[in-house]
Amino acid sequence: MSTTKYIFVTGGVSSSLGKGIIAASLAKLLQARGYRVTIQKLDPYINIDPGTLNPYEHGECYVTDDGAETDLDLGHYERFLNVPTSQANNVTTGRIYQSVIEKERRGEFLGKTVQVVPHITNEIKERIQILGKSGDYDIVITEIGGTVGDIESLPYIESVRQLKWELGNQNCLVIHLTLIPYLSAAGELKTKPTQHSVKTLMESGIQADILVCRTEHHLSEELRHKLALFCNVGKDAVIESIDASTIYDVPNLMLEEGLDKVTLQKLGLKDTGSPPLTAWNEFVKRHKNPRAHVTIGLIGKYVELQDSYKSILESFIHAGAANEVKVKVQSIHSEFLDASNVASQMQELDAVLVAPGFGERGIEGKVEAVRYARENKLPFLGICLGMQMAVIEYSRNVLGLKDANSTEMNENTAFPVIDLMEEQKTITDKGGTMRLGAWACELKDDSIVKDVYGVSNIEERHRHRFEYNNAYRTQLEAAGLKTTGINPQTNLVEIVEIEDHPWFVGVQYHPEYKSTVANPHSLFVSLVAAALNYSNNR
Ligand code: GLN
């Protein structure tokens, strides 16, 4: 008999209501009460993972320690809970079908017709319970992607219905997140779309236990009563989720509304008293009461879509709070940056971050941004492609290797200072084949990173195919581009720094994936401090 409790978060009326933030906020409150909680996301698309999706399509691809390429909501889970997630925390329809089809080929269903019910739904139920059965968690929160009523979500909803039946209502809870639209012409909040979406859920045999209602205006008692009556839930199970100025306010808003209380009650779990959110509240206070501000340029080619650089933007919020500084991130489109406008675009900046990315578009603008940061001693952090651009810029403009490049951009470059690893050269499949997940890195003494991390051995998460080409290392080092972090197993260069610069660091890995509220990433904290310093000395 399982003792793990399962909470499902479904969405109705509209997409983008913030199921991930609600799930993470509830998890935070339960964790603060002493429960061991994890969150899982089920995505109804056919891709095996979001690794092959364009950021415009899906936002950032988040990477876990075990090298899973996942939905960006897992980033919120880690940032809120400060507990690492893994491949088991993100399952797509593609992965479910792949696994069922592989089983069919192995003959595991010999003699049977393989069908959505029961084979696909059994696989889904198994994936949901893997985390629960690990014994590591008291509560598993599963967020179902998409909106109730979507064709592609149906097998997930049916699986939830079956689990509720199998494990019992005291072990399974469904939270339905909906939108209460405000009609300005009528001056009224409207409950009808919510009533309909709760009904749609009922057509699949699921009665929502708790309603979380996204709204721009407070819900009156009368409206709460109406929602409770017509959606068939208790009045204490109608939770208002008013628009917040920051996602980091949502746990406290949910606490005020009693979402954690009603959840514990319904699952028959002990109410251990009001959760101490001391450290969390300290962070929120610092975030909202900065003593100074800095402007940091984010040079990327997906800047039109904020979600593309989610973890970077959140890392700046954590690092800003740590420094009691407001970080204004100024997005600069690398595609439109060149030698003629780089100074005017960057002169107001106190630091610059050159973003990760793939492909040729916008890379010359990134190289120009690096050059500006190097020449003007502007604090610089290059992440992944950003680090590669720093190596290219140094090779071209300091070493004089004309047209040095990455073989990703120009296969025939005379100076392939960034190149494919040997192991990558024979790989043709695109999905899941990059250097992924946590890799060790040894830091050199007398470096910025050694100071910043305060230790000699670190582990950081990767997602890239191309690497610093060690054939150019002696030349580059002699010219002043130090390699200050090395992977001890492969001798791959993970970090470069410019000797003669106050704060210039390029990292082949992605520090932004590991920054959390409880543990702001030290590289970002240090970059913000360097930006403040730069701004004060202007
Ligand atoms: N496109 C580069 C590579 O594959 C960098 C990837 C990234 O920035 N995540 O190596």
Side-chain angles (χ1 to χ4, degrees):
M1 188 59 202
S2 114
T3 51
T4 310
K5 306 283 186 178
Y6 294 91
I7 298 173
F8 299 96
V9 180
T10 58
V13 180
S14 164
S15 58
S16 304
L17 293 180
K19 287 195 293 273
I21 300 297
I22 293 296
S25 298
L26 174 60
K28 183 76 220 165
L29 295 176
L30 297 171
Q31 183 195 53
R33 285 171 181 268
Y35 290 103
R36 298 169 307 156
V37 193
T38 190
I39 316 175
Q40 175 189 47
K41 172 97 190 263
L42 303 181
D43 275 311
Y45 52 73
I46 316 269
N47 303 63
I48 299 291
D49 59 43
T52 54
L53 292 176
N54 188 316
Y56 290 127
E57 191 75 24
H58 184 270
E60 163 189 286
C61 175
Y62 186 76
V63 179
T64 56
D65 279 334
D66 66 344
E69 297 177 274
T70 74
D71 187 78
L72 59 78
D73 273 341
L74 271 77
H76 292 309
Y77 308 161
E78 290 203 10
R79 288 189 282 272
F80 275 51
L81 298 181
N82 200 35
V83 174
T85 54
S86 70
Q87 181 63 72
N89 294 76
N90 193 195
V91 179
T92 67
T93 292
R95 207 171 273 280
I96 298 282
Y97 271 79
Q98 186 186 46
S99 164
V100 169
I101 290 167
E102 279 168 5
K103 285 179 184 168
E104 185 275 337
R105 290 290 84 181
R106 287 199 297 272
E108 286 185 29
F109 310 119
L110 222 47
K112 293 281 180 216
T113 309
V114 180
Q115 294 177 295
V116 172
V117 182
H119 300 97
I120 295 296
T121 48
N122 283 348
E123 184 75 27
I124 293 171
K125 286 191 290 179
E126 218 172 275
R127 298 291 182 129
I128 291 170
Q129 292 177 97
I130 281 177
L131 288 163
K133 287 179 178 160
S134 71
D136 295 338
Y137 306 106
D138 307 310
I139 301 167
V140 177
I141 302 181
T142 298
E143 178 193 344
I144 317 260
T147 308
V148 161
D150 294 349
I151 292 176
E152 47 189 23
S153 309
L154 279 174
Y156 292 106
I157 301 292
E158 167 61 10
S159 304
V160 172
R161 186 197 66 75
Q162 290 185 19
L163 270 180
K164 251 192 148 206
W165 187 86
E166 286 166 10
L167 302 175
N169 282 335
Q170 71 285 6
N171 292 319
C172 282
L173 185 77
V174 174
I175 298 177
H176 192 53
L177 175 62
T178 79
L179 175 70
I180 311 290
Y182 180 75
L183 292 192
S184 46
E188 267 183 75
L189 288 168
K190 290 296 183 189
T191 66
K192 196 72 89 186
T194 296
Q195 296 181 42
H196 280 298
S197 102
V198 168
K199 232 179 241 162
T200 307
L201 203 50
M202 285 200 83
E203 282 168 14
S204 301
I206 295 177
Q207 164 70 56
D209 297 297
I210 296 175
L211 294 182
V212 175
C213 307
R214 265 305 287 277
T215 173
E216 291 171 26
H217 299 274
H218 288 296
L219 307 182
S220 65
E221 277 311 305
E222 193 191 344
L223 198 121
R224 287 177 192 252
H225 179 82
K226 188 172 168 187
L227 279 165
L229 178 64
F230 293 121
C231 298
N232 206 23
V233 299
K235 250 190 89 180
D236 59 345
V238 177
I239 305 291
E240 168 190 289
S241 171
I242 194 125
D243 288 359
S245 62
T246 156
I247 54 169
Y248 297 107
D249 274 341
V250 180
N252 276 307
L253 291 173
M254 291 302 105
L255 178 65
E256 281 163 29
E257 283 287 306
L259 176 60
D260 54 334
K261 246 193 157 84
V262 65
T263 297
L264 291 174
Q265 228 167 52
K266 287 192 184 291
L267 290 172
L269 289 171
K270 254 215 321 276
D271 186 342
T272 47
S274 198
L277 288 176
T278 326
W280 184 274
N281 290 337
E282 179 60 27
F283 155 77
V284 174
K285 198 174 103 201
R286 292 169 78 101
H287 170 49
K288 290 188 172 174
N289 298 288
R291 294 167 194 255
H293 76 274
V294 294
T295 306
I296 300 188
L298 172 63
I299 318 287
K301 65 170 168 176
Y302 307 112
V303 290
E304 306 91 328
L305 186 73
Q306 289 286 300
D307 272 0
S308 309
Y309 301 114
K310 195 81 208 161
S311 293
I312 290 174
L313 297 176
E314 298 304 321
S315 299
F316 277 131
I317 291 177
H318 309 155
N323 281 288
E324 290 180 277
V325 165
K326 166 145 186 63
V327 179
K328 182 175 170 272
V329 177
Q330 189 164 322
S331 298
I332 300 178
H333 206 305
S334 55
E335 218 180 335
F336 309 121
L337 201 58
D338 56 39
S340 74
N341 63 16
V342 68
S344 66
Q345 295 243 20
M346 291 180 64
Q347 64 193 4
E348 300 293 320
L349 303 179
D350 302 313
V352 63
L353 187 152
V354 176
F358 293 83
E360 216 192 331
R361 185 169 66 94
I363 71 133
E364 292 305 326
K366 285 185 171 172
V367 172
E368 274 311 318
V370 177
R371 182 216 272 267
Y372 183 90
R374 179 176 59 77
E375 291 179 345
N376 293 280
K377 304 248 189 284
L378 184 65
F380 166 90
L381 177 61
I383 297 183
C384 208
L385 185 69
M387 173 268 202
Q388 298 175 357
M389 292 305 121
V391 175
I392 290 169
E393 194 278 329
Y394 213 84
S395 306
R396 287 184 189 175
N397 301 328
V398 179
L399 270 187
L401 305 179
K402 200 172 163 299
D403 299 328
N405 215 331
S406 162
T407 51
E408 178 181 6
M409 319 306 165
N410 177 4
E411 264 187 83
N412 305 315
T413 171
F415 306 107
V417 291
I418 304 292
D419 197 8
L420 272 184
M421 275 188 298
E422 267 324 299
E423 303 88 282
Q424 282 284 344
K425 291 188 175 156
T426 50
I427 294 175
T428 52
D429 279 5
K430 293 283 182 254
T433 55
M434 285 186 256
R435 174 148 85 109
L436 289 167
W439 286 66
C441 174
E442 228 171 70
L443 305 178
K444 296 257 178 72
D445 289 338
D446 298 323
S447 63
I448 292 174
V449 283
K450 182 75 187 284
D451 270 0
V452 166
Y453 282 92
V455 292
S456 302
N457 290 288
I458 57 165
E459 266 196 4
E460 291 281 6
R461 300 181 191 172
H462 289 246
R463 179 172 186 255
H464 58 104
R465 228 179 275 287
F466 293 82
E467 304 284 349
Y468 178 110
N469 185 345
N470 271 319
Y472 291 90
R473 189 154 146 198
T474 316
Q475 272 182 80
L476 282 164
E477 296 231 45
L481 189 69
K482 298 196 292 180
T483 54
T484 56
I486 301 286
N487 174 261
Q489 282 84 42
T490 57
N491 203 29
L492 288 168
V493 171
E494 310 285 37
I495 308 174
V496 296
E497 290 180 23
I498 292 180
E499 220 154 27
D500 177 27
H501 190 292
W503 211 102
F504 187 106
V505 179
V507 292
Q508 185 57 81
Y509 53 81
H510 291 262
E512 72 273 24
Y513 294 144
K514 279 177 71 164
S515 186
T516 70
V517 165
N519 226 343
H521 198 290
S522 50
L523 267 180
F524 281 87
V525 175
S526 178
L527 175 66
V528 171
L532 187 61
N533 206 19
Y534 186 89
S535 142
N536 289 338
N537 293 334
R538 227 182 241 286

